[in-house]
Amino acid sequence: MKNRCLKNLSFLLNSLSISYFTLLLFIAPSVQSAAAKTLSLSIPTHKPFDLMLVGGGMKTCSSQAPANCQSEVKFSADAKRETRYVFNVSWLERALKHPRLQSLNEQQKANLRQAAKALPPVSNSLKNSDVEIGRLHSDSLTLASLEQAIVKIDKQFLAHLSDQQYYTLLDLLEEKQMLADGTLLQEQVLLDSTTNSHAATLYQLFTQQALAKRQQSNPNAKRPLIAVVTASARDPFEAAHYYVSVFEQMGAEVIWLPLDAALQAGIATRQCDQLEMFRQQIQGNTDRARLYPKQVELQKDFCASPIKLYQLLNQIDGLFLNGGDQSLTLKAWITPNESPSEALSIIKKRLSKQEIVIGGTSAGTAVMADKNMITGGTSVGVLSFGVFATEAPSERCEVANCDASVPATAVTYREQGGLGFFPFGIPDTHFSQRDRYLRLLLLSANADSKMAFGVDENTALLVDLSHRSLSVVGEHGVWGLAQVERLKQSQANSEINAVSHYLTPGSYAEIDATGEHLTHIRLALTAKLTPIMSKQSDFFSWVSNACRQGIYSISLSDKYELTITPMAVLSCQGILNQERGYQSMGLTLKALEQ
């Protein structure tokens, strides 16, 4: 990176005492990576915004997602293709000695040993050339192959493991992939070779807005400083290089912050010597120092001197939060007693002064909720089991036997909310693709939230906080839910009323002073949009039927009846023109008498 970058970040070298070498690791892309190319995309005209809420599913070309790449793309020798695991007797014995696997009983240990011995020395799927040049171990397996080898011995083995046992075993068996010269393999990103341009457009739009923030105080600035926090992942270190590479290709100066639940606990308790324990107990990962020694050292440095973190947060122009588990992201920003951390206070103060733009995808969007942060569940689950203000059960509970306090697919949420950046209702993600209409409607009613927003994949809701305005960019759209009201409190005879809107890319709306209505809606006159792929969702067909018939009712799971009614002259204009956008659809969800 040029001297100009180092000049702009001189505070890191001087007041923060972080070495030049360390900065190169986390600001610039790896010198072994494929050459980064700054993209120049056709970005839609937009008004300034403070928040970018992405619905997840940002399809980008990378060495671990080649399906998103153009056919002629080739990655360099040091590109990481997938996470792999070493499964032989010696590696297994090393893993079984770890304290976090002492809870395995003798039969479970014996089954693992039998599975390891039954494998041939070299996987059939492994290229001998990869072993010869040092890329992979001779007993290297994909996750699917590892699990298949184990269930051959005991079909129920994995289902009976706790989350701690399952993930600890994987972490201890994970292979450190490198070339013969010691070069660590990293996931490589090539945005200019991505077949679907929408994700790259969203990244570029975020980068441009971060630059606009910087130019408020430095009109001649050419590049913004963007910080990436990957705390939503159980292993935050693994995704660091990916996001640094993405935003560097967008033309930004980028730094990865090792801020996660473990670091927050270490700072709050002043027990930086216990970071490994915090990573195991709170963040949920083990043995990361073996795989990511430099990142772990950086985290130790920030824990010992948190002022370095706070000074960085006061300098950045953009903050981007990754996808994964929003509860983990929240723990990265609040103290163990659930009060706002110094880091969160800095960011919220700068957001209120419009000095920074904040973006997130998937969990990074959900965690922005001011109140009632959704944490799990499905539309089918909410119809069957309801809504619970409690911690979500493990995702593995949907396929494994779990002794959870709530059913695996029931909707769960945190009443206190998340980071508090988005004050206009409940944000939800992967929306149309995962058929989340009913889960958001029922959650909003149960949590007494008058508004909610469901963001589709590869799509973003842009939020101007001071003007209470919203706009949509990306591939699909955003479902806006307003005026949510439960008329009867009896669970057996309840009725929920609401008004729904679907804002397509280019659409605009404002939130009124009461926080209950979307006003000044301007739906983009969009040609037929890309179809939304969903396994179950029939919601758009129900809306279409309501537009054609004037009203439409459907029985849901023999427990509820949903009625959809157009409420205004313009409600169906888009739908009748073969577009997906609509506004002011009345929803009435009645519980049927049992």
Side-chain angles (χ1 to χ4, degrees):
M1 188 165 290
K2 297 182 179 180
N3 290 336
R4 189 189 149 281
C5 170
L6 298 178
K7 182 179 179 181
N8 286 345
L9 299 179
S10 61
F11 66 93
L12 286 173
L13 295 172
N14 299 324
S15 61
L16 303 191
S17 300
I18 300 179
S19 71
Y20 172 79
F21 178 69
T22 301
L23 282 176
L24 287 181
L25 285 171
F26 298 103
I27 299 176
S30 169
V31 294
Q32 289 85 19
S33 299
K37 185 185 297 182
T38 301
L39 298 186
S40 179
L41 301 171
S42 177
I43 304 300
T45 302
H46 67 91
K47 295 183 178 181
F49 58 92
D50 305 295
L51 302 176
M52 173 182 274
L53 281 65
V54 184
M58 300 180 78
K59 297 179 176 65
T60 55
C61 171
S62 80
S63 55
Q64 293 191 223
N68 297 330
C69 302
Q70 297 170 7
S71 58
E72 67 274 11
V73 169
K74 292 184 179 180
F75 294 94
S76 59
D78 61 338
K80 182 178 179 181
R81 270 73 173 181
E82 60 193 345
T83 302
R84 299 186 71 92
Y85 304 86
V86 178
F87 195 47
N88 58 36
V89 174
S90 61
W91 270 68
L92 177 60
E93 292 302 329
R94 168 188 169 274
L96 293 178
K97 291 177 182 177
H98 196 278
R100 288 176 69 82
L101 290 184
Q102 295 307 302
S103 57
L104 293 177
N105 60 44
E106 292 305 315
Q107 185 59 55
Q108 288 174 312
K109 294 177 182 179
N111 287 343
L112 283 173
R113 292 183 178 112
Q114 184 179 350
K117 291 177 181 178
L119 282 175
V122 179
S123 169
N124 292 332
S125 63
L126 189 63
K127 296 180 180 178
N128 288 331
S129 59
D130 284 336
V131 177
E132 291 166 1
I133 64 175
R135 285 178 55 91
L136 299 172
H137 194 277
S138 61
D139 296 309
S140 181
L141 297 173
T142 64
L143 177 59
S145 296
L146 172 63
E147 292 186 336
Q148 184 179 20
I150 294 173
V151 299
K152 278 184 179 180
I153 304 302
D154 182 352
K155 292 183 179 179
Q156 297 301 314
F157 183 90
L158 296 173
H160 290 154
L161 293 181
S162 66
D163 275 5
Q164 175 183 309
Q165 293 169 332
Y166 176 79
Y167 290 118
T168 298
L169 180 63
L170 293 186
D171 285 351
L172 291 168
L173 295 179
E174 185 177 345
E175 180 177 10
K176 184 175 183 178
Q177 299 180 39
M178 62 181 71
L179 297 179
D181 63 1
T183 300
L184 186 67
L185 272 59
Q186 302 271 21
E187 182 176 9
Q188 291 179 4
V189 184
L190 296 175
L191 289 179
D192 61 342
S193 297
T194 302
T195 54
N196 186 321
S197 65
H198 289 287
T201 299
L202 295 179
Y203 285 128
Q204 180 109 342
L205 186 58
F206 181 83
T207 303
Q208 288 187 353
Q209 187 60 28
L211 178 59
K213 297 292 185 182
R214 167 161 282 206
Q215 289 174 339
Q216 291 175 168
S217 58
N218 182 4
N220 296 321
K222 302 299 182 183
R223 302 175 73 190
L225 175 60
I226 292 176
V228 174
V229 173
T230 53
S232 291
R234 188 185 64 84
D235 178 1
F237 306 112
E238 192 272 339
H241 186 269
Y242 174 91
Y243 282 103
V244 168
S245 179
V246 162
F247 284 109
E248 209 283 336
Q249 289 178 52
M250 291 293 103
E253 295 169 359
V254 195
I255 186 165
W256 172 74
L257 297 179
L259 179 60
D260 62 10
L263 177 57
Q264 189 58 248
I267 292 173
T269 63
R270 299 182 179 180
Q271 298 183 71
C272 296
D273 59 334
Q274 298 298 312
L275 281 175
E276 171 65 17
M277 180 192 70
F278 292 140
R279 282 195 289 271
Q280 293 176 7
Q281 295 184 353
I282 308 175
Q283 192 70 31
N285 62 63
T286 304
D287 199 28
R288 298 300 87 184
R290 173 176 62 88
L291 298 173
Y292 306 102
K294 294 182 177 67
Q295 288 91 332
V296 168
E297 283 302 312
L298 186 67
Q299 189 175 70
K300 289 180 181 178
D301 186 43
F302 274 66
C303 186
S305 302
I307 187 64
K308 299 176 181 180
L309 172 65
Y310 306 147
Q311 288 178 327
L312 273 172
L313 294 176
N314 273 308
Q315 295 291 331
I316 60 176
D317 310 298
L319 171 66
F320 197 86
L321 309 175
N322 75 323
D325 182 345
Q326 51 264 43
S327 297
L328 285 177
T329 301
L330 180 61
K331 290 177 182 178
W333 294 91
I334 61 175
T335 65
N337 64 5
E338 299 195 349
S339 61
S341 67
E342 177 67 17
L344 180 56
S345 297
I346 290 171
I347 291 298
K348 295 186 80 168
K349 180 179 180 180
R350 296 195 66 210
L351 181 65
S352 69
K353 296 165 68 175
Q354 296 183 299
E355 296 176 347
I356 188 173
V357 59
I358 301 175
T361 180
S362 190
T365 286
V367 77
M368 293 194 203
D370 183 42
K371 297 179 181 177
N372 306 313
M373 180 183 78
I374 193 165
T375 57
T378 67
S379 289
V380 172
V382 75
L383 293 177
S384 300
F385 306 112
V387 178
F388 299 85
T390 187
E391 289 188 14
S394 166
E395 290 184 356
R396 295 180 61 242
C397 289
E398 294 187 27
V399 295
N401 298 321
C402 293
D403 185 18
S405 58
V406 298
T409 58
V411 168
T412 56
Y413 72 105
R414 184 178 187 268
E415 288 181 288
Q416 305 94 310
L419 298 179
F421 302 150
F422 183 71
F424 303 130
I426 303 172
D428 200 359
T429 59
H430 300 280
F431 200 72
S432 299
Q433 291 76 11
R434 299 186 185 179
D435 189 25
R436 288 178 165 174
Y437 309 95
L438 295 175
R439 89 164 187 170
L440 191 55
L441 175 60
L442 281 162
L443 170 59
S444 299
N446 278 271
D448 195 26
S449 177
K450 298 299 183 181
M451 300 195 77
F453 297 88
V455 188
D456 290 342
E457 292 182 354
N458 238 12
T459 306
L461 179 67
L462 308 180
V463 184
D464 181 340
L465 292 171
S466 61
H467 293 93
R468 304 173 68 88
S469 65
L470 312 170
S471 55
V472 178
V473 293
E475 186 173 7
H476 299 297
V478 175
W479 196 62
L481 192 62
Q483 299 164 252
V484 181
E485 183 180 14
R486 182 185 289 277
L487 298 183
K488 299 178 181 179
Q489 295 301 317
S490 170
Q491 189 67 31
N493 192 26
S494 64
E495 179 177 315
I496 297 169
N497 283 350
V499 177
S500 78
H501 316 269
Y502 188 71
L503 308 178
T504 53
S507 298
Y508 173 88
E510 295 177 8
I511 297 171
D512 75 344
T514 68
E516 297 184 14
H517 301 259
L518 279 184
T519 63
H520 300 92
I521 297 173
R522 297 199 300 268
L523 285 182
L525 299 178
T526 310
K528 194 170 184 180
L529 290 175
T530 305
I532 295 175
M533 303 305 294
S534 173
K535 294 179 180 178
Q536 307 172 32
S537 178
D538 293 312
F539 193 84
F540 276 105
S541 65
W542 301 341
V543 170
S544 297
N545 288 338
C547 284
R548 288 192 297 267
Q549 301 173 20
I551 189 171
Y552 184 76
S553 296
I554 182 77
S555 177
L556 303 171
S557 189
D558 297 326
K559 291 187 176 182
Y560 294 91
E561 181 182 67
L562 176 67
T563 300
I564 302 175
T565 309
M567 299 177 63
V569 175
L570 296 177
S571 293
C572 295
Q573 184 178 22
I575 293 292
L576 296 178
N577 288 334
Q578 303 301 309
E579 300 169 4
R580 299 188 71 87
Y582 63 82
Q583 58 182 300
S584 302
M585 289 287 177
L587 305 181
T588 300
L589 186 68
K590 289 184 178 181
L592 301 175
E593 295 184 7
Q594 300 297 311

